Amino acid sequence: MSDLKGALIGCGFFAVNQMHGWRDAEGARVVAICDRDPKRLKVVGDEFGVARRYTSAEDLFADGGFDFVDIATTVASHRPLVELAARHGIPTICQKPFAPTMDDAKAMVAACARANVPLMIHENFRWQSPIRAAKAAIDSGAIGEVFWGRVSFRSAYDVFSGQPYLATGKRFIIEDLCIHALDIARFLFGDAMAVTARTRRVNPDIAGEDVATMLLDHQGGITSVVDCSYATKLPIEPFPETLLEVDGSKGTLRLSQGYHLCIHSPDRMEVTDVEPRLLPWASLPWHNIQESVSLIQQHWIDCLRSGREPDTSGRDNLQTFALVEASYRSAAEARTVRLKEFL
Ligand code: NAD
Ligand code: 89Y
């Protein structure tokens, strides 16, 4: 079977990981790239040997010659680019956060559905191998019926040096980072019905919130806490590890710093090292995220080939994005917000 041909739009900070992922992927390769900044176009085009280069997405689509597009730009351009892809009938991957607003996200899902093209949100954290190991253990029944969980990401890593725009937006940690933790909570504990959130800004040099705590009521009756911070100075910096605590009727699961997965029940006490592979192009401490990029991109190829809906399709990701919107509303209005207000 011949390789699927991809085009990538947005050759910035994170897209380099995506380009490495496509280079390693089985069954796909990137044949064209686009960035409105000619300097980024040259850096990425030269590093990955891509000859077809565009500074305009309209020109890229007009020339065509690819089977899917990978949109790796920041949020403001997601809706126009996804709608452009839909108009050209091109299956589309779009980076998180889905869109600036819930109305935009819904319009993007509708545009792709009308054009009958698959849409996947690049929501990669649930593809991290430690998270998948935890999910497999929960699904095996090792700790019995889950009744409570915590998804935690606390760090003081300087994310602003690589991604300066994160310091300037009115919204920061919920939209940028908690979005992943909220998606992991859905992945492990099921869809949520309501959220109660509190936020605060500790770092005086940024515009948005850098600490957020969310209490989620899941449809199946599980309660979870999702807490994220970029203002937490720990003795050993854990970036970018997501830690888990899950309590079940038979025992407990803990994913603790250093990628230790501990499963405890009356008949089992097991600690496993679930540190992700260090791919040849990856670098610490990002290797966890970088491996998940490769895995989600391979998932996309498998889904396109088999006609299956991707796990983090646009339709699915509306639930995660609704949690983001509901968390901001909950924090602003100091009340519990039902997701029905957004879905
Ligand atoms: P960036 O600013 O470094 O790169 C974005 C690039 O897109 C820039 O080079 C810009 O010139 C280009 N661009 C913007 N609009 C364009 C348009 N309309 N047409 C062509 N090019 C355009 O940003 P980044 O840090 O690489 O982040 C990109 C996205 O990736 C963001 O949405 C961010 O949240 C996400 N991200 C995801 C992860 C993850 O783990 N999933 C990690 C980091 C960043
Ligand atoms: O942009 C963010 C993401 O998606 O993962 C980590 C990050 O790069 C900084 O918070």
Side-chain angles (χ1 to χ4, degrees):
M1 210 182 276
S2 59
D3 279 356
L4 293 170
K5 296 189 191 100
L8 179 135
I9 307 177
C11 300
F13 169 79
F14 199 71
V16 174
N17 297 312
Q18 293 170 227
M19 289 299 290
H20 277 294
W22 292 125
R23 188 150 72 179
D24 286 358
E26 275 176 42
R29 67 200 157 87
V30 168
V31 298
I33 56 172
C34 168
D35 198 299
R36 60 188 179 196
D37 176 352
K39 284 197 219 94
R40 288 306 306 169
L41 203 53
K42 179 164 171 41
V43 167
V44 171
D46 289 356
E47 180 175 356
F48 293 93
V50 183
R52 284 183 58 196
R53 302 177 190 181
Y54 295 83
T55 49
S56 142
E58 284 76 10
D59 293 349
L60 168 79
F61 282 104
D63 281 1
F66 46 89
D67 305 302
F68 70 92
V69 65
D70 188 10
I71 298 169
T73 60
T74 40
V75 68
S77 51
H78 287 177
R79 179 172 175 181
L81 291 173
V82 167
E83 289 180 343
L84 183 62
R87 282 201 295 281
H88 285 82
I90 298 291
T92 303
I93 309 172
C94 176
Q95 256 297 351
K96 52 59 66 174
F98 202 146
T101 69
M102 196 70 199
D103 284 347
D104 291 318
K106 285 180 180 169
M108 291 154 75
V109 171
C112 290
R114 269 196 309 275
N116 200 21
V117 297
L119 169 64
M120 179 178 87
I121 302 305
H122 185 118
E123 179 40 79
N124 51 324
F125 273 38
R126 65 160 74 184
W127 283 93
Q128 291 174 5
S129 44
I131 303 297
R132 294 194 98 74
K135 165 84 168 153
I138 293 168
D139 290 350
S140 76
I143 61 165
E145 195 182 331
V146 171
F147 59 87
W148 182 88
R150 176 177 176 206
V151 181
S152 178
F153 187 110
R154 311 194 76 78
S155 164
Y157 188 82
D158 174 20
V159 286
F160 309 109
S161 56
Q163 298 168 263
Y165 59 90
L166 294 177
T168 60
K170 219 175 112 203
R171 290 178 164 193
F172 170 37
I173 200 168
I174 297 180
E175 180 185 79
D176 172 64
L177 194 275
C178 302
I179 193 168
H180 294 303
L182 291 165
D183 188 69
I184 289 173
R186 285 187 54 229
F187 180 56
L188 299 180
F189 312 129
D191 282 340
M193 295 178 305
V195 61
T196 314
R198 296 291 180 267
T199 58
R200 86 173 268 184
R201 178 168 60 88
V202 175
N203 181 345
D205 300 327
I206 66 171
E209 81 291 348
D210 53 1
V211 180
T213 309
M214 276 80 63
L215 176 73
L216 271 59
D217 299 304
H218 294 267
Q219 284 172 8
I222 298 174
T223 305
S224 75
V225 176
V226 174
D227 60 290
C228 300
S229 163
Y230 270 129
T232 300
K233 300 176 175 73
L234 288 157
I236 302 174
E237 173 51 60
F239 181 88
E241 290 185 52
T242 302
L243 310 183
L244 301 176
E245 295 176 31
V246 188
D247 293 2
S249 56
K250 262 173 56 183
T252 53
L253 176 150
R254 297 290 183 265
L255 176 61
S256 52
Q257 190 168 346
Y259 300 108
H260 305 299
L261 180 65
C262 174
I263 293 156
H264 173 247
S265 71
D267 32 74
R268 186 170 168 192
M269 173 62 201
E270 194 178 287
V271 182
T272 320
D273 176 0
V274 290
E275 169 132 26
R277 289 172 301 164
L278 181 63
L279 295 172
W281 50 269
S283 53
L284 297 171
W286 287 86
H287 63 305
N288 183 22
I289 292 181
Q290 288 164 322
E291 186 202 34
S292 70
V293 167
S294 278
L295 292 171
I296 194 173
Q297 291 182 181
Q298 194 64 55
H299 172 64
W300 167 254
I301 298 166
D302 297 343
C303 288
L304 265 196
R305 287 214 183 285
S306 63
R308 208 183 115 198
E309 180 175 333
D311 291 0
T312 59
S313 64
R315 196 176 62 88
D316 171 86
N317 203 257
L318 288 178
Q319 296 279 340
T320 296
F321 195 63
L323 273 168
V324 168
E325 292 284 7
S327 297
Y328 279 114
R329 185 173 290 175
S330 170
E333 298 178 6
R335 66 175 175 93
T336 297
V337 173
R338 299 189 72 75
L339 265 66
K340 272 199 295 209
E341 293 183 28
F342 291 95
L343 289 168

